[in-house]
Amino acid sequence: MRRTGSMGARAALVVLFAVGLSSAARAEVSLKFSGKLQSDLRFRVLGARVGSWYGLQELAPGVSFNENLVKFKLQASAGRFRGVADVDVIAVGAPRPGDFGELLDRSKLDPIVVKAHSLFVEATDLLPGLDLRVGQQVVNWGKGDQFNPTNNLNPNDLWDPLLFGQQLGTPMVKADYTFYREWTLSGVLVPIFKPAQLPSSARLGVASLDRLPFVEDSLRWRLHAEQTLVRDILKYPTVVTKAIPVLPEARLDNMQFAFRVAGVLAEHDLAFSYYNGRTDMPQPFVNYTRLNAGRRCSPSDPNDCVAGMIETEVELGYPRMQVLGFNASGQVNALGWLSKRIQPIGYRFELGVFFPQEASIILLQDRMDFGLRLEPAGEYAYGLGGRRPLTVKSTPFAKWTLGLDYSFGRHVYANVQWVHGFVDEFGAGDFFSEGWAVRRGGAAGNAASLMTCALVDPKGERCATEILRPRLGDYLVLGLDFKFLSEQLLVRLFMIWDLIGVYEEKWDAQANRRVRTHHGTFSAEGFSAVFFPEVTYNFGHGLELSAGGLFKVGKEHTKFGDPAAGGSEVWTRARFTY
Amino acid sequence: MTGRWPAWPLACALSLTATSVFADAKGESWLKKLDQALSRPRDQEMLTEMVIQAPAGEPRRIGIRVHVRGGRRHMELLYPGDVKGTKILSLSRTQMYVYLPAYKKIRRIATHVRDQSLFGADYNYDDMSTPTYGDLYHAEFLGETKTQVRLRATLRAGQISPYGKIEFTLRKSDAYPEELKYFNARGTHIKTEVRRDYQCQQAMCVPRYMKMVDHSRSNHWTECLQKDWKLNTSFGEDVFSLRALQRSE
């Protein structure tokens, strides 16, 4: 009994001590809470589609997006230590029950997505000048506005086109050591690779089978001729039945890491960085094709029939890359000599020099009997001297953003950027080194000439027609803000304009060679742009109402007229932040 | 070489002329007293509510926590939600940064933004990053009463400011300003600021109430109400570092 009593007293003491400690600790902990509630409603004004009645992928006009979001942001800090949680809970608002059973499944009728931007703990001055942050976080090293070739540690979040430039939170370990005034050396380790979140319209890109990813011209031309022959003459169209992303295994040698040294020199902010990891945009590396014979016809046209389908499964990988980065920002008084009233112009320059791993693709096929011709099972005969075709060359390439901004009076703010290499563009191909991306491909000619191109003279160069762009485009990004009514009313005009246009390439019988014609950015074939007008009114107390449009203009083979870009939308947004 | 030497006396003459037109010893002396009064505290922490006249409806209120040490200033916006978490770090008149919580990003503020309104207020970034005036302006004594002194400060050659001239009305007792009239480069009176209800500790004072009226915006006004003021608390130097700003998330 005494023993029990003693133990009880000791336990009580321990509890009291613990409570005391906990209340002492609680007294030191400060909590900051913030967040927002947001409702987005969007309408696609023009639909987009890829493919024929077989393998059709479509974005229909109508309500395209209706998400309601609540953000919770909590910061708990005690002295030099703190923890941060920044989490969005999104009611996706688009029930899509697949069968009757899913009508009984609440998660299918009321889908909820949880997105953690930040979930980390941080210690400041763990050693003098050394900060450590561990957990899910976003490391935003790029100085550019929205276009950041040096932000490689986090994958791009392209789900919502209105939030272009946003990145997904990723678990990582980050250490920052401030060694001299504003000069900091940072090191980051990302244990597990996370791919980019693609927009819902990306499935239209996968279905665009004519956009052959091969570097080798001859193989592309031949495949264009073969695809056209079997689709149009033999009536066996090709469709993608599955696209499977294959993520790198969670092994030590697949961890990503990066270093950066950043500081201030002569009133310019400078940073040099190195990244070793992978591109977050998927690249095909295995293609498996099989024949699914059997006549079938269009439901709307019984005369539109095919003899069967060539079904393709593609595996998508994420090639390794290293990136040397440079960031600079500050201001230059470039036009001050004209007038004293002209003030220095703010600038931001962000450069990423990419060293990609060479990536090849394996084309495998089942035994395919087209009647006219029998293709044996096995690996496709590329005709490349025994090697496999490349999808990415190891040639280094550069992407950059040069941005300037200026205020005109109190009401107008202008931001201009030259972007070389869009977020989804990867691989050498610009004015430094040649490399092309196919925007549209096919083959011209009658059955005899197609058969010659595909089977007799298997270079395909006399039949193949292609619309090409350099792998890395150049874009003019222009943003104008007009502020009125004590900045409560914001009218924003934003534009991205493709400066390159497209190149059309085909066989010229007179010249007896393939010729390339440039359709410039001002031409009907080459013009492509995004127009993004927006009006926001701030009612005060955290309430904002916005409306705008996101209009993508251009032919289907252009950058932004591409159906995979998602079509044009008008949108509204209500947001309350607290 | 021989072709260049005459420029020296000419430049000096112009400089002397400029000084004699826009400055006098008494004015310079009072401007120095003003600067001394403003920079007397080693450091300050303030909690301020900025009340901005709204085009319609009730005024907009923005809560700001300010840390000041010497010429450096750190401001954190506390409310409302749409600006909450925004931080502005001013290390000098030409080195300012803003942390934008929506983008989790630090952005350098270029000079052309300095005369832009701060969240719709009649104060601009330059007002927030000008702790003293003597390094920017020459001063000319305009007159005095029993309790007040009037000065006209004119922008020094080569300096950049939204204001070509400022007319100060100072308290004669301690040189703290009670009224500032701001003129643009063309000499147009564009703003008037009043500072009153000074509270003092250890011979150092701050106004509890400030009001800026922008005459170029139909007399649009912004008030700053001092909610709390702490003096010489010796807070950490880290507040004024980019490193701390990067930890803003």
Side-chain angles (χ1 to χ4, degrees):
Chain A
M1 185 69 192
R2 270 179 65 189
R3 190 185 169 92
T4 313
S6 163
M7 277 188 71
R10 221 177 289 165
L13 268 175
V14 168
V15 169
L16 278 173
F17 183 63
V19 168
L21 272 182
S22 126
S23 32
R26 199 179 301 136
E28 291 175 11
V29 171
S30 77
L31 295 174
K32 282 185 184 174
F33 187 65
S34 60
K36 69 178 176 188
L37 289 150
Q38 182 176 304
S39 182
D40 284 280
L41 179 57
R42 299 179 198 164
F43 305 90
R44 184 171 292 109
V45 288
L46 288 173
R49 57 189 293 169
V50 169
S52 189
W53 56 268
Y54 45 83
L56 179 67
Q57 293 289 341
E58 188 173 22
L59 297 169
V63 178
S64 57
F65 193 94
N66 187 18
E67 291 191 354
N68 293 280
L69 172 154
V70 58
K71 176 187 278 292
F72 300 104
K73 189 169 178 187
L74 176 68
Q75 184 189 130
S77 54
R80 294 181 290 120
F81 311 122
R82 70 187 187 121
V84 173
D86 178 356
V87 178
D88 291 352
V89 179
I90 306 163
V92 176
R96 290 277 185 276
D99 57 31
F100 180 80
E102 291 186 353
L103 286 174
L104 315 175
D105 184 344
R106 190 148 185 183
S107 69
K108 300 289 181 191
L109 290 180
D110 202 3
I112 299 282
V113 172
V114 177
K115 192 189 276 187
H117 300 286
S118 301
L119 283 173
F120 64 78
V121 293
E122 184 173 59
T124 305
D125 282 322
L126 208 56
L127 296 171
L130 179 68
D131 301 344
L132 183 70
R133 183 184 282 189
V134 182
Q136 181 123 323
Q137 56 191 294
V138 175
V139 175
N140 204 342
W141 282 348
K143 294 284 182 193
D145 291 328
Q146 272 67 49
F147 299 91
N148 301 109
T150 64
N151 280 353
N152 297 302
L153 286 158
N154 297 89
N156 289 289
D157 184 353
L158 304 173
W159 178 252
D160 184 348
L162 301 193
L163 300 178
F164 187 83
Q166 184 164 286
Q167 297 199 297
L168 293 171
T170 308
M172 53 178 93
V173 180
K174 179 160 96 70
D176 296 302
Y177 176 58
T178 302
F179 57 91
Y180 177 71
R181 292 187 176 177
E182 298 293 357
W183 284 87
T184 301
L185 176 65
S186 302
V188 184
L189 182 73
V190 184
I192 297 174
F193 174 81
K194 188 190 275 190
Q197 163 78 65
L198 301 180
S200 59
S201 59
R203 61 192 163 86
L204 277 69
V206 174
S208 301
L209 285 158
D210 57 339
R211 294 188 181 171
L212 300 175
F214 317 115
V215 169
E216 292 81 3
D217 294 339
S218 59
L219 178 64
R220 281 202 321 269
W221 298 337
R222 184 171 136 203
L223 282 167
H224 283 313
E226 284 185 10
Q227 272 191 4
T228 308
L229 175 71
V230 296
R231 184 189 64 223
D232 295 349
I233 310 298
L234 306 179
K235 299 293 181 187
Y236 287 95
T238 308
V239 293
V240 175
T241 50
K242 209 181 274 184
I244 308 157
V246 180
L247 302 189
E249 290 176 43
R251 294 196 317 255
L252 289 180
D253 62 329
N254 277 333
M255 293 198 296
Q256 305 162 77
F257 59 91
F259 301 101
R260 182 187 74 153
V261 61
V264 182
L265 188 68
E267 300 208 340
H268 296 267
D269 296 348
L270 304 174
F272 303 87
S273 59
Y274 168 76
Y275 166 81
N276 189 319
R278 292 172 184 273
T279 174
D280 61 353
M281 301 303 292
Q283 309 289 331
F285 72 98
V286 177
N287 197 85
Y288 175 71
T289 305
R290 64 188 179 88
L291 187 67
N292 183 355
R295 182 181 163 84
R296 60 206 83 178
C297 299
S298 164
S300 59
D301 181 2
N303 297 318
D304 185 2
C305 301
V306 296
M309 308 279 250
I310 300 173
E311 294 178 343
T312 291
E313 286 182 20
V314 60
E315 292 186 21
L316 304 167
Y318 299 87
R320 288 180 184 275
M321 65 177 188
Q322 298 174 74
V323 184
L324 289 176
F326 172 66
N327 275 276
S329 66
Q331 58 182 15
V332 286
N333 198 2
L335 301 174
W337 55 274
L338 285 173
S339 163
K340 282 182 181 175
R341 296 183 62 193
I342 298 178
Q343 301 208 42
I345 298 168
Y347 80 90
R348 287 162 301 288
F349 179 61
E350 180 170 351
L351 168 70
V353 180
F354 290 69
F355 299 86
Q357 176 195 38
E358 185 176 274
S360 60
I361 186 167
I362 308 171
L363 305 182
L364 300 171
Q365 61 191 30
D366 220 343
R367 180 177 178 275
M368 292 197 281
D369 185 357
F370 297 109
L372 191 70
R373 182 185 166 99
L374 177 71
E375 291 284 341
E379 190 164 352
Y380 186 83
Y382 310 111
L384 297 173
R387 68 171 177 84
R388 288 181 173 138
L390 301 180
T391 53
V392 180
K393 288 190 288 186
S394 60
T395 311
F397 62 93
K399 293 167 85 168
W400 64 78
T401 303
L402 174 63
L404 303 173
D405 66 317
Y406 196 76
S407 303
F408 298 91
R410 66 165 62 118
H411 297 295
V412 183
Y413 168 79
N415 186 317
V416 184
Q417 294 186 80
W418 170 25
V419 175
H420 180 75
F422 218 68
V423 63
D424 60 337
E425 294 171 351
F426 187 72
D430 55 10
F431 36 79
F432 292 123
S433 58
E434 195 175 61
W436 300 94
V438 179
R439 302 300 300 176
R440 194 174 74 201
N446 55 26
S449 61
L450 285 173
M451 286 179 77
T452 305
C453 284
L455 307 174
V456 183
D457 173 23
K459 270 181 162 179
E461 64 179 341
R462 288 173 184 265
C463 300
T465 58
E466 287 186 319
I467 291 192
L468 305 166
R469 288 184 80 237
R471 283 197 169 214
L472 301 170
D474 287 285
Y475 306 90
L476 175 71
V477 180
L478 175 63
L480 288 171
D481 281 359
F482 301 90
K483 296 171 280 185
F484 306 104
L485 305 175
S486 305
E487 299 193 3
Q488 285 187 274
L489 177 64
L490 170 70
V491 178
R492 174 169 288 168
L493 300 175
F494 188 82
M495 185 194 79
I496 308 174
W497 182 24
D498 173 14
L499 300 174
I500 298 279
V502 294
Y503 294 80
E504 186 176 5
E505 194 189 281
K506 60 186 176 188
W507 180 260
D508 184 328
Q510 282 190 328
N512 199 35
R513 62 181 174 82
R514 290 181 69 79
V515 292
R516 197 174 281 168
T517 309
H518 183 218
H519 299 287
T521 187
F522 292 107
S523 69
E525 290 295 315
F527 179 80
S528 184
V530 177
F531 297 97
F532 184 10
E534 173 184 351
V535 179
T536 296
Y537 190 79
N538 185 334
F539 288 82
H541 304 288
L543 177 68
E544 285 179 343
L545 296 181
S546 307
L550 184 65
F551 304 109
K552 296 162 190 164
V553 183
K555 294 270 176 79
E556 289 190 353
H557 54 251
T558 63
K559 183 73 180 178
F560 304 114
D562 184 349
S568 294
E569 293 173 293
V570 294
W571 56 273
T572 61
R573 178 190 293 146
R575 180 192 286 159
F576 174 67
T577 43
Y578 55 91
Chain B
M1 187 72 188
T2 47
R4 290 174 65 181
W5 71 266
W8 284 98
L10 180 63
C12 290
L14 285 172
S15 165
L16 284 170
T17 311
T19 305
S20 61
V21 168
F22 298 121
D24 56 43
K26 203 169 179 182
E28 290 290 329
S29 167
W30 273 104
L31 192 66
K32 197 173 176 183
K33 284 181 191 170
L34 166 67
D35 284 351
Q36 283 169 349
L38 294 175
S39 55
R40 203 171 292 144
R42 195 171 63 243
D43 56 52
Q44 300 176 75
E45 281 182 68
M46 285 173 269
L47 200 59
T48 300
E49 185 174 75
M50 194 183 258
V51 185
I52 305 168
Q53 182 196 2
E58 57 186 294
R60 190 164 185 233
R61 293 174 183 272
I62 298 178
I64 309 173
R65 179 181 291 124
V66 187
H67 288 82
V68 185
R69 178 172 290 153
R72 295 171 299 167
R73 189 179 293 243
H74 177 271
M75 298 181 8
E76 179 183 2
L77 277 62
L78 306 174
Y79 58 83
D82 54 300
V83 295
K84 185 178 180 178
T86 303
K87 293 179 181 175
I88 299 165
L89 176 64
S90 171
L91 298 176
S92 70
R93 293 193 75 247
T94 53
Q95 194 180 0
M96 289 177 76
Y97 299 89
V98 60
Y99 172 77
L100 304 165
Y103 300 96
K104 300 182 193 292
K105 196 160 191 169
I106 298 171
R107 198 179 159 93
R108 193 176 184 123
I109 300 173
T111 305
H112 62 82
V113 181
R114 298 173 58 82
D115 59 355
Q116 297 297 301
S117 163
L118 200 65
F119 306 103
D122 298 284
Y123 290 93
N124 57 37
Y125 288 90
D126 200 75
D127 297 325
M128 296 294 165
S129 64
T130 307
T132 53
Y133 298 92
D135 47 347
L136 293 177
Y137 294 90
H138 295 293
E140 182 186 358
F141 183 78
L142 294 180
E144 61 189 314
T145 65
K146 273 187 181 176
T147 56
Q148 292 178 323
V149 171
R150 287 183 59 237
L151 303 180
R152 180 187 294 134
T154 307
L155 193 65
R156 290 177 188 270
Q159 295 292 348
I160 298 173
S161 169
Y163 311 122
K165 274 190 295 187
I166 306 174
E167 284 184 12
F168 293 94
T169 302
L170 308 181
R171 298 202 305 198
K172 212 171 190 177
S173 56
D174 51 18
Y176 281 108
E178 291 187 313
E179 185 182 78
L180 300 90
K181 289 181 178 172
Y182 299 94
F183 298 78
N184 65 15
R186 287 181 294 245
T188 309
H189 180 196
I190 51 173
K191 288 182 181 179
T192 303
E193 183 185 12
V194 293
R195 301 181 186 182
R196 64 171 195 248
D197 297 341
Y198 276 90
Q199 57 174 332
C200 301
Q201 292 177 37
Q202 305 161 38
M204 289 170 266
C205 308
V206 291
R208 284 198 188 95
Y209 176 86
M210 295 161 65
K211 182 175 186 179
M212 182 75 94
V213 178
D214 189 338
H215 308 301
S216 65
R217 295 171 69 189
S218 308
N219 293 330
H220 190 273
W221 54 262
T222 300
E223 293 173 335
C224 285
L225 312 174
Q226 204 75 262
K227 300 286 185 183
D228 190 23
W229 176 48
K230 290 176 188 161
L231 195 63
N232 297 338
T233 56
S234 301
F235 53 78
E237 183 67 10
D238 197 37
V239 171
F240 302 109
S241 69
L242 280 175
R243 179 188 171 206
L245 206 58
Q246 270 155 3
R247 288 197 302 263
S248 297
E249 186 188 337

